[in-house]
Amino acid sequence: MPFKPAKKQFVLRKAIDLKDAAFVVVPVPYEKTTSYGQGTKYGPAALIDASWQLELWDEETKTDTWKKGIFTTQPVNCALPEKKFFPQLERTVEELLSTSKALPFFIGGEHSVTQGLLPPFIKRHKNLSILHFDAHADLRLTYEGSQHSHACAVYPASRTNRLVQIGIRSVGADEKQFHNTGNVKTHLMHENLDLKKLERDILHELTDTVYLTIDVDGFDPSVMPGTGTPQPGGFMWYDAMKLFKAVCVNKKIVGVDVMEALPVNGSNITELAAAKLIYRLMGYLNA
Ligand SMILES: [Mn+2]
């Protein structure tokens, strides 16, 4: 199955060829298990709309990032029942990785989507580690009856691969047992306000090949107000950019997802910030 271009492309007014793209944006508007605020399924479309408001020249990286080539696929079909959706998503990702060399950026959707995204990357890359930016630990085995809950997003991958968590400031009694054991390195937000040290630590803990999963609630709610389960006291914009830049420059990033952005009536701050985040990351990456 060839990947068809979305009608509306991220940043660009017109689709380019996937083979000419350094980056491929894949919308995954899946939402089944959100437990509080809802609307993540509208996140990808809102984010792509907002991306048209970005300046094409990025003032921080001082590059015309779009010239590297960005292709946006049609949204993944999220109408399937949970049991079928996740295997189908895995197959789609597998196919994308085998047909294109472009670096994928997946946009959600709820964070459980990451469970379907990771297995093909884990299969392909020996010694892959995962940088997990989130307010929540997402290490539950099940939540409200589902293993595919947003609250379980990184549990399966943490059984096989190194997982480094930052921004964490909400942890269930049933998931704290996994912190700092086995493959899991958890940096609680309030214990890691020395960001220079945090940067050194995560660069040391991550392997050379990294998948980056970003829940926008890892940011402070003043930066990303539109998200299902906000928590006070997250990363401010420039602090997060500094960390992401260090990782993008020092590691080989093989995949990125940006999850849990949801449009808020009367405010477009979140989708604009999430679009800028993606464009900025593309600028940092030497793709
Ligand atoms: Mn979260």
Side-chain angles (χ1 to χ4, degrees):
M1 178 189 71
F3 288 88
K4 291 192 184 132
K7 272 197 210 104
K8 194 159 189 179
Q9 294 284 302
F10 181 76
V11 174
L12 301 179
R13 299 297 188 269
K14 199 167 98 203
I16 61 166
D17 261 6
L18 178 53
K19 67 171 172 33
D20 299 326
F23 304 105
V24 55
V25 175
V26 184
V28 193
Y30 177 83
E31 179 171 32
K32 286 273 159 67
T33 71
T34 39
S35 39
Y36 189 37
Q38 293 181 349
T40 61
K41 66 180 162 205
Y42 305 116
L47 196 155
I48 289 169
D49 275 350
S51 76
W52 281 35
Q53 303 306 317
L54 297 175
E55 294 290 356
L56 293 174
W57 184 75
D58 183 273
E59 86 287 354
E60 185 187 318
T61 59
K62 299 185 166 46
T63 46
D64 278 302
T65 308
W66 65 274
K67 288 184 178 168
K68 296 179 178 184
I70 306 169
F71 177 91
T72 308
T73 70
Q74 285 183 357
V76 169
N77 173 16
C78 295
L80 298 168
E82 186 179 313
K83 277 213 173 76
K84 289 200 173 141
F85 170 74
F86 284 91
Q88 177 62 34
L89 179 60
E90 271 186 43
R91 284 194 292 276
T92 305
V93 174
E94 181 54 54
E95 198 183 333
L96 180 67
L97 298 183
S98 55
T99 54
S100 162
K101 286 202 169 65
L103 176 64
F105 276 72
F106 303 93
I107 44 181
E110 62 170 64
H111 208 171
S112 56
V113 163
T114 303
Q115 286 190 359
L117 303 177
L118 278 171
F121 288 93
I122 290 172
K123 246 180 261 164
R124 254 156 209 274
H125 300 283
K126 239 193 212 169
N127 216 5
L128 179 75
S129 56
I130 299 148
L131 179 60
H132 175 213
F133 178 94
D134 201 321
H136 309 90
D138 287 356
L139 284 170
R140 289 181 160 98
L141 281 92
T142 64
Y143 191 64
E144 296 179 341
S146 171
Q147 292 179 329
H148 293 124
S149 164
H150 62 98
C152 316
V154 291
Y155 176 77
S158 75
R159 299 304 89 193
T160 55
N161 289 68
R162 172 123 273 227
L163 176 76
V164 179
Q165 307 188 292
I166 57 175
I168 311 300
R169 53 198 191 279
S170 172
V171 180
D174 54 342
E175 49 188 353
K176 70 176 191 300
Q177 57 179 314
F178 300 119
H179 285 183
N180 300 314
T181 61
N183 297 315
V184 181
K185 187 70 206 166
T186 303
H187 296 282
L188 296 175
M189 189 76 196
H190 74 283
E191 292 174 351
N192 289 278
L193 298 173
D194 177 348
L195 295 171
K196 274 205 177 116
K197 180 176 184 302
L198 180 62
E199 181 182 313
R200 276 199 306 275
D201 287 347
I202 65 174
L203 290 178
H204 179 69
E205 290 153 6
L206 291 165
T207 60
D208 291 340
T209 310
V210 175
Y211 182 97
L212 175 58
T213 179
I214 298 175
D215 183 328
V216 299
D217 68 28
F219 285 96
D220 190 77
S222 61
V223 180
M224 298 276 188
T227 190
T229 40
Q231 282 288 327
F235 280 102
M236 298 308 284
W237 178 259
Y238 290 109
D239 294 334
M241 291 313 117
K242 204 163 171 295
L243 285 177
F244 288 144
K245 184 178 181 184
V247 175
C248 288
V249 169
N250 289 290
K251 304 289 180 181
K252 181 176 163 52
I253 305 276
V254 293
V256 180
D257 66 50
V258 176
M259 298 292 161
E260 299 278 344
L262 65 86
V264 176
N265 271 344
S267 163
N268 44 23
I269 298 172
T270 308
E271 46 268 42
L272 198 286
K276 184 143 184 161
L277 165 67
I278 291 173
Y279 200 55
R280 176 65 45 79
L281 292 174
M282 289 173 173
Y284 290 152
L285 289 160
N286 194 15

